Amino acid sequence: MSTVTGTRGPYAKTAKLRARAIEAAIDLFGTAGYNGATLTEVADRVGMSLTGLQHHFPDKDSLLAAVLEERDRRAAGRVPAGSGIDALEGLLGMLRESEKNPGLMELQCVLSAEATSVDHPAHDYFQRRYSTLRHQAVAGFEEMASRGDLVSDIDPHQLAAMVIALVDGLQLQWLLDHDAVNVEAAVRTFIRTFIPAIR
């Protein structure tokens, strides 16, 4: 018993320190970008020495990997179950909820733009991410078309790319001026033009 209890403390402390470092990196990468941020700045925000931070994250690439993993974990917890209209309504609701966590939205905007460079450490990640998003959107649109819910002559592949681009662009505008754009309302209005069942 005493051995188990004794090992919990250090592990718990390590987990908390890692979580604090990841949270600080989310904020810093989202504002300064990956290229503009340093491990020293992350360590300062957490109140650690650089050596202490490197005990958990040896280099900036390893910290970035942890940040992207955490981003995916949070996103997965908000993905609605099912398919069709209900799932689409759930996704639209996610856009509204994302405004409550602008740090992750800013992280997405900044890192995805930086990662267009092939030598950026997140290049492959964002390439896969957008490929997955398009594939999922196409599958959903094709399913809705088979049910008669989708009314459009636009190829589902093009439609998927257009919706993803609209979301990204609106989120960028919202980050620049919260009062000028309502991301969820604008995307909902657009989708309603080819899926009338969306409320």
Side-chain angles (χ1 to χ4, degrees):
M1 288 292 286
S2 60
T3 303
V4 174
T5 303
T7 58
R8 281 184 177 174
Y11 282 124
K13 185 177 180 181
T14 296
K16 287 180 181 179
L17 286 173
R18 283 179 58 87
R20 286 171 54 205
I22 290 170
E23 202 61 45
I26 286 174
D27 182 53
L28 193 57
F29 290 169
T31 52
Y34 174 81
N35 292 323
T38 67
L39 280 181
T40 300
E41 289 173 306
V42 175
D44 287 344
R45 291 196 179 202
V46 182
M48 299 173 63
S49 66
L50 176 59
T51 302
L53 178 62
Q54 289 177 317
H55 175 72
H56 303 284
F57 302 101
D59 52 37
K60 200 163 63 163
D61 285 4
S62 64
L63 180 56
L64 176 62
V67 164
L68 295 176
E69 182 180 326
E70 175 63 15
R71 180 196 176 283
D72 286 347
R73 187 191 68 77
R74 294 182 189 182
R78 299 197 308 266
V79 174
S83 59
I85 301 298
D86 289 341
L88 194 50
E89 284 286 357
L91 289 169
L92 287 166
M94 279 175 56
L95 293 179
R96 183 174 59 251
E97 288 297 310
S98 68
E99 294 182 0
K100 298 177 182 178
N101 197 339
L104 284 178
M105 192 190 298
E106 193 165 21
L107 180 77
Q108 152 71 20
C109 289
V110 172
L111 288 187
S112 61
E114 280 189 339
T116 56
S117 173
V118 294
D119 58 357
H120 192 282
H123 178 79
D124 291 344
Y125 167 86
F126 278 102
Q127 198 172 52
R128 288 192 304 272
R129 180 177 182 275
Y130 278 108
S131 177
T132 299
L133 287 175
R134 287 191 300 270
H135 177 77
Q136 291 173 339
V138 168
F141 288 149
E142 288 178 341
E143 180 182 345
M144 283 183 269
S146 70
R147 296 178 181 177
D149 292 328
L150 188 148
V151 183
S152 176
D153 295 329
I154 301 175
D155 178 79
H157 292 81
Q158 289 185 334
L159 204 55
M162 290 165 64
V163 171
I164 293 168
L166 178 65
V167 170
D168 282 359
L170 286 169
Q171 288 185 332
L172 175 59
Q173 292 181 58
W174 182 84
L175 286 166
L176 291 168
D177 187 347
H178 291 4
D179 296 327
V181 179
N182 184 317
V183 177
E184 188 242 350
V187 175
R188 183 179 293 274
T189 299
F190 176 68
I191 289 178
R192 195 181 291 131
T193 64
F194 54 88
I195 305 178
I198 289 293
R199 297 183 288 276

